[in-house]
Amino acid sequence: MNNLTVPINATDRKRAMGLAKERMQTFNQARVRNQKIDRGRDSVQTHYIGLIGEITIEKIIGIPLTNHKAPHGDGGVYDFIIKDKTVQVKCTDYLSGHLIFPLKKGKMSFLAEYGILVIWDKKKEIATAVGQITRERFLAEHVIKEWGYGPTPAVPQHTLDHPWLLEKD
């Protein structure tokens, strides 16, 4: 394993599921309609995969994730501050997945300075930070993908930069 790949064990998965349920409970109590972007998964499962990504970054850099339990989530602003840069983490279990930032009310949901894509290989029980991109570059280079649940701005993972933000100084 390289320093951008970490094991995702049963404790990590249990923690991610607990946090996903907490987040959904907060959404439900505030009667906020969650933006579901995956037809094959419910909202808790979607949060769960996102939290696997955040736990991956937490393990790589050693900075604890924040559990955004605000009724409207983290507002799409950032998940971490790394080297004085705001970072949004996206995770997928599709091994050839894209970095996506869904539209929210017709507006781009990518508000941080950088986006980092994490790929979670459930069979191997590992997750890898595969790349990063600046917000400006994402806005300039994204394509609109249609996977059956509305237009989604996306960038293929092979076009992402090496995630140098995660490297130790």
Side-chain angles (χ1 to χ4, degrees), residues 11-21 48 51-52 55:
T11 302
D12 297 325
R13 293 189 303 273
K14 183 177 180 180
R15 178 175 170 223
M17 183 55 75
L19 290 170
K21 288 177 179 178
Y48 170 68
L51 282 155
I52 291 292
I55 288 169

Side-chain angles (χ1 to χ4, degrees), residues 11-70:
T11 302
D12 297 325
R13 293 189 303 273
K14 183 177 180 180
R15 178 175 170 223
M17 183 55 75
L19 290 170
K21 288 177 179 178
E22 281 182 37
R23 287 184 183 181
M24 279 311 303
Q25 183 177 18
T26 303
F27 275 53
N28 292 337
Q29 287 171 346
R31 297 181 183 192
V32 172
R33 183 176 169 269
N34 191 38
Q35 180 185 354
K36 188 173 170 184
I37 59 165
D38 190 326
R39 287 183 172 186
R41 297 180 173 116
D42 66 23
S43 297
V44 171
Q45 292 169 320
T46 301
H47 282 292
Y48 170 68
I49 292 171
L51 282 155
I52 291 292
E54 291 181 39
I55 288 169
T56 299
I57 300 304
E58 174 187 69
K59 291 175 93 169
I60 291 170
I61 64 173
I63 297 174
L65 68 90
T66 58
N67 184 21
H68 304 289
K69 292 194 294 183

Side-chain angles (χ1 to χ4, degrees), residues 125-144:
E125 297 186 337
I126 58 173
T128 303
V130 296
Q132 72 182 39
I133 193 168
T134 65
R135 180 178 188 276
E136 291 76 19
R137 193 170 141 229
F138 184 91
L139 293 173
E141 297 179 11
H142 75 275
V143 295
I144 300 296

Side-chain angles (χ1 to χ4, degrees), residues 70-101:
H72 297 282
D74 62 12
V77 178
Y78 63 86
D79 296 310
F80 291 92
I81 296 177
I82 304 169
K83 298 180 182 175
D84 295 322
K85 305 290 184 196
T86 56
V87 176
Q88 279 181 272
V89 176
K90 296 293 181 181
C91 184
T92 182
D93 57 357
Y94 298 111
L95 301 184
S96 61
H98 290 63
L99 177 62
I100 66 170
F101 285 93

